[in-house]
């Protein structure tokens, strides 16, 4: 690589610099306490997955270009250029990271490795090494936002099919899936696919909620890609829709990263306060059950059930008790994983890694701790309110031949509701 | 001997303190003038009040309870080092000003015996911790993580500690005499008491101070700034 290009790439660090990042780079003692926190390092033993090592690559570039001591004596810090060798390792350690931030939890200085890696992603994108799959998926989502009229009819007719199913399930021919309903209380943002819409529609209908369905899905590949501009545009699609319709709240479906994007990142990215609140569908369901707006059969779930905290909902999103209350309301035999809540192991499927086939082998290995945890409970059902978690758990189940049913919580709720319809909730 | 002490324990000390103070001020200035990220980076669950956040930050910084849970052995050695270093620092304050009360209760000899025990224990614990860290960096499965900076700092620390221990275990010079030297530095009328220069610990004070000087000079430019940066970084945790 030419000097000019190396300088430009290193310059990405300077452009993305902020106080937290500077401190994280300056204070890490390389004590490696994070080594036992990372499911990927524990599962594979591969040095490049050691959290401090992932951050160290960015530190080495920073020292070479921006740190006084590093420029004076580069050898002291093994300061390096962002050359091919470094970028190659950086690509693997960065895009493999699921951003579960379990290392941050255990770090004596609370260093957020994922935050350091957000700079790594920006640098990789600048070097033309951003993950292609994530980039294509992000661009497709942005295009859909730019030209919604191209997709609208297909989507709405799809929603009509789901609406028909909802009518059969609820036994109410007036049940509907409203779209573009101005003045609705709730804008519900699902995922691509009926599975995220049907159960929510049943629940909203039974609770008598005033809601409308977003034309856009909440999944955000721009976030996984590490391109804040694209990520904001993707989230803008439904945020603008919410503003236009004047809803009181945006409710995100059973997804991990989308909730964190909507709840925590979007305001910071856009620089504007939302005039509505943002909630996760599980917060809403928990409220409906507590307030008696929907009723559920407390013995509905047969067998031992456990709950997996998706990192972006739990440690990084703050929802620990809502999902547990719902599961306990449906099941007699609830067994929590150990450790749980803020110390929960990442399943290994986050950060968009399930969309990047080059990491398949390490991804399955990185689920070792999760499998161990599940086995220890003896549960045969696991509820996981994140699609990436469920994909990973399904592959772990197949790989380790576990006797395990993996389910979103919404489906369990719908199954537990006394409904007048003839059709079973599950297709 | 006198020249050596003049270099390391007088002029070197002035230089080191100046570089340390200015360096730390520069570091804090750099941090505080870099804009904060607009994205809150906290982990849940978070304390609800400002006081709660502050309390959690102090607890996380001084006790590192999470680190204790995941790697108790490392936590124990780190705790041992930092507590012993604090004790050693408190003990060293005697060379600025004798403590009130304690010497009156114990008497002059009693105080010196107490200091010998306390300082000896602190110095030994620090030495053990530093040796553990050197071993961990050299033989651990993640040894490739270490960079020369890590070993340089450990070497400087070991130098400081071993020389300090030498003065503590083999010297017969007490705080009162060191106070004369240090007070003279503070008054900018530096002198070296004959009692130190001509004792068996003259060269170990000189070498102790050589390592101290180097450590202080490098401190603001090294990862040792975690001593101040960990407070704000741990506060970000509950944002």
């Amino acid at each position: 690589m030419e000097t000019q290009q190396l300088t430009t790439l290193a310059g990405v660090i300077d452009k993305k610099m902020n106080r937290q990042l500077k401190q994280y780079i300056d204070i890490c003692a390389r004590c490696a306490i994070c080594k036992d926190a990372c499911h990927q390092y524990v599962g594979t033993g591969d040095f490049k997955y050691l959290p401090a090592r992932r951050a160290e690559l960015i530190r080495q570039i920073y020292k070479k270009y921006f740190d006084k001591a590093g420029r004076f004596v580069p050898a002291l810090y093994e300061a390096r250029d962002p050359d091919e060798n470094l970028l190659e390792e950086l690509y693997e350690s960065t895009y493999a990271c699921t951003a579960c931030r379990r290392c941050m939890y255990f770090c004596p200085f609370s260093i957020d490795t994922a935050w350091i890696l957000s700079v790594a992603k920006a640098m990789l994108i600048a070097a033309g090494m951003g993950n292609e799959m994530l980039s294509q998926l992000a661009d497709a989502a942005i295009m859909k936002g730019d030209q919604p009229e191209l997709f609208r009819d297909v989507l709405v007719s799809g929603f009509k099919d789901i609406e028909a199913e909802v009518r059969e399930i609820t036994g109410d021919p007036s049940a509907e899936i409203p779209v573009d309903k101005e003045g609705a209380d709730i804008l519900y943002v699902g995922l691509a696919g009926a599975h995220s819409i049907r159960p929510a529609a049943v629940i909203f209908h039974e609770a008598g909620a005033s809601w409308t369905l977003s034309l856009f899905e909440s999944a955000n590949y721009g976030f996984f890609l590490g391109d804040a501009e694209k990520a904001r545009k993707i989230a803008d699609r439904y945020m603008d829709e919410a503003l236009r319709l004047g809803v009181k709240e945006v409710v995100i479906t059973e997804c991990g990263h989308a909730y964190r994007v909507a709840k925590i990142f979007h305001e910071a990215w856009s620089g504007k306060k939302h005039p509505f609140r943002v909630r996760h569908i599980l917060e809403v369901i928990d409220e409906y059950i507590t307030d008696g707006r929907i009723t559920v059969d407390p013995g509905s779930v047969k067998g031992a059930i456990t709950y997996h905290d998706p990192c972006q909902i739990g440690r990084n999103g703050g929802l620990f008790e809502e999902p547990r209350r719902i599961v306990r309301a449906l099941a007699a035999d609830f067994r929590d994983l150990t450790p749980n809540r803020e110390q929960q192991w990442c399943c290994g499927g986050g950060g968009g890694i399930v969309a990047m086939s080059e990491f398949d082998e390490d991804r399955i290995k990185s689920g070792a701790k999760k499998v161990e945890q599940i086995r220890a409970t003896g549960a045969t059902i696991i509820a996981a309110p994140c699609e990436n978690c469920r994909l990973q758990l399904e592959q772990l189940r197949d790989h380790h031949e576990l006797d395990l049913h993996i389910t979103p919580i919404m489906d369990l709720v719908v199954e537990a509701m006394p409904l007048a319809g003839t059709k079973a909730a599950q297709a | 001997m006198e020249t050596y002490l003049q270099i390391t324990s007088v002029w070197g000390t002035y230089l080191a303190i100046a570089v340390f103070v200015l360096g730390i001020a520069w570091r804090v200035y750099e941090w505080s003038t870099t804009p904060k990220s607009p994205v809150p980076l906290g982990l849940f669950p978070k304390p609800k009040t400002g006081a709660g956040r502050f309390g959690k930050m102090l607890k996380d910084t001084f006790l590192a309870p999470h680190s204790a849970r995941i790697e108790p052995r490392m936590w124990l050695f780190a705790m041992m080092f930092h507590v012993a270093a604090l004790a050693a620092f408190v003990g060293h304050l005697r060379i600025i000003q004798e403590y009130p009360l304690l010497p009156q209760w114990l008497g002059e000899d009693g105080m010196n015996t107490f200091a010998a025990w306390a300082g000896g224990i602190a110095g030994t614990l620090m030495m053990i911790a530093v040796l553990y860290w050197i071993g961990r960096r050299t033989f651990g499965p993640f040894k490739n993580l270490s960079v020369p900076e890590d070993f340089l700092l450990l070497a400087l620390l070991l130098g400081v500690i071993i020389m300090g221990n030498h003065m503590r275990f083999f010297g017969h010079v007490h705080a009162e005499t060191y106070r004369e030297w240090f007070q003279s530095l503070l008054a900018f009328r530096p002198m070296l008491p004959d009692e130190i220069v001509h004792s068996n610990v003259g060269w170990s004070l000189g070498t102790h101070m050589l390592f101290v000087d180097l450590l202080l000079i490098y401190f603001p430019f090294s990862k040792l700034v975690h001593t101040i940066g960990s407070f704000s970084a741990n506060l970000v945790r509950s944002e």
Side-chain angles (χ1 to χ4, degrees), chain A residues 273-303:
Chain A
K273 281 254 168 240
H274 296 148
F276 43 77
R277 67 173 166 171
V278 173
R279 283 202 293 173
H280 195 265
I281 183 72
L282 294 181
E283 290 177 271
V284 177
I285 294 174
D286 175 47
E287 187 189 274
Y288 288 166
I289 294 176
T290 310
D291 293 353
R293 285 177 70 175
I294 58 174
T295 46
V296 286
D297 167 11
S300 159
V301 175
K302 309 277 184 267

Side-chain angles (χ1 to χ4, degrees), chain A residues 117-321:
Chain A
L117 294 187
S118 69
V119 178
K121 287 185 176 180
M123 189 183 293
L124 288 164
I125 292 168
M129 288 174 70
N131 182 274
E132 257 176 58
M133 179 55 98
L134 298 180
S135 184
Q136 283 171 18
L137 290 164
D139 290 342
I142 292 170
M143 193 182 86
K144 186 179 161 190
D146 287 342
Q147 297 166 301
E149 63 283 356
L150 289 182
F151 303 88
R152 202 191 146 85
D153 292 346
V154 181
L155 283 170
V156 172
S157 90
F159 296 159
K160 284 286 162 206
D161 293 344
I162 304 171
E163 188 177 81
E165 286 184 75
V166 171
R167 286 175 179 170
E168 282 180 55
I169 295 166
T170 57
D172 182 349
S174 70
E176 56 175 0
I177 294 182
V179 178
D180 272 339
K181 189 167 128 191
E182 276 183 43
D185 290 343
I186 292 170
L187 176 72
Y188 176 69
V189 194
L191 293 169
H195 65 287
S196 73
I197 299 168
R198 187 176 45 228
V202 172
I203 293 165
F204 285 136
H205 175 77
E206 292 297 307
S210 151
W211 72 294
T212 182
L213 177 63
S214 172
L215 285 168
F216 303 101
E217 70 289 342
S218 57
N220 195 321
Y221 287 97
F223 182 62
F224 292 149
L225 176 65
D227 187 324
E229 185 62 20
K230 285 185 180 175
R232 181 186 57 76
K233 280 186 187 161
I234 294 169
D236 274 350
R237 300 177 310 166
Y238 59 80
M239 290 297 184
D240 290 347
E241 198 180 14
L243 286 174
R244 180 166 54 81
L245 299 175
V247 296
K248 294 198 183 88
E249 65 178 317
V250 166
V251 172
I252 305 290
T253 190
E254 277 192 60
C255 176
H257 74 285
Y259 173 67
R260 184 152 169 243
V261 163
K263 177 91 178 175
I264 294 167
F265 279 82
H266 188 261
E267 283 187 341
W269 284 338
S270 64
K272 280 179 282 195
K273 281 254 168 240
H274 296 148
F276 43 77
R277 67 173 166 171
V278 173
R279 283 202 293 173
H280 195 265
I281 183 72
L282 294 181
E283 290 177 271
V284 177
I285 294 174
D286 175 47
E287 187 189 274
Y288 288 166
I289 294 176
T290 310
D291 293 353
R293 285 177 70 175
I294 58 174
T295 46
V296 286
D297 167 11
S300 159
V301 175
K302 309 277 184 267
I305 182 169
T306 186
Y307 171 72
H308 164 68
D309 294 274
C311 305
Q312 307 306 343
I313 295 176
R315 191 161 41 241
N316 300 330
L319 305 182
F320 299 110
E321 303 314 321

Side-chain angles (χ1 to χ4, degrees), chain B residues 94-120:
Chain B
R94 282 183 79 210
I95 66 169
I96 299 176
Q97 173 79 52
E98 180 61 282
Y99 281 96
L101 301 175
L102 211 55
Q104 290 162 28
W105 294 338
L106 299 171
E108 197 183 324
D109 282 349
M111 185 63 194
N112 285 335
T113 312
F114 170 74
W117 274 99

Side-chain angles (χ1 to χ4, degrees), chain A residues 30-31 77 105 110 343, chain B residues 69 136 149 218 232 234 237:
Chain A
R30 284 176 290 271
C31 70
Y77 305 95
Y105 179 84
S110 308
Q343 290 182 36
Chain B
R69 214 165 302 140
R136 185 179 147 96
E149 179 195 12
Y218 186 38
S232 44
N234 276 328
R237 185 196 184 99

Side-chain angles (χ1 to χ4, degrees), chain B residues 74-134:
Chain B
M74 173 65 180
W75 180 88
L76 199 71
F77 279 103
M79 222 33 172
M80 193 168 94
F81 175 84
H82 286 95
V83 170
L86 180 66
F89 179 77
V90 170
H92 276 75
L93 292 179
R94 282 183 79 210
I95 66 169
I96 299 176
Q97 173 79 52
E98 180 61 282
Y99 281 96
L101 301 175
L102 211 55
Q104 290 162 28
W105 294 338
L106 299 171
E108 197 183 324
D109 282 349
M111 185 63 194
N112 285 335
T113 312
F114 170 74
W117 274 99
I121 291 170
T124 308
L125 292 180
M126 282 165 79
M127 194 167 72
I128 293 170
V130 169
L131 289 174
Y132 167 75
W133 284 338
I134 292 173

Side-chain angles (χ1 to χ4, degrees), chain B residues 11 43 47-48 53 110 112 116 131 135 158 186 213:
Chain B
W11 302 111
L43 288 175
K48 298 217 164 36
R53 283 183 57 201
N112 285 335
L131 289 174
L158 195 63
L186 291 179
D213 295 345

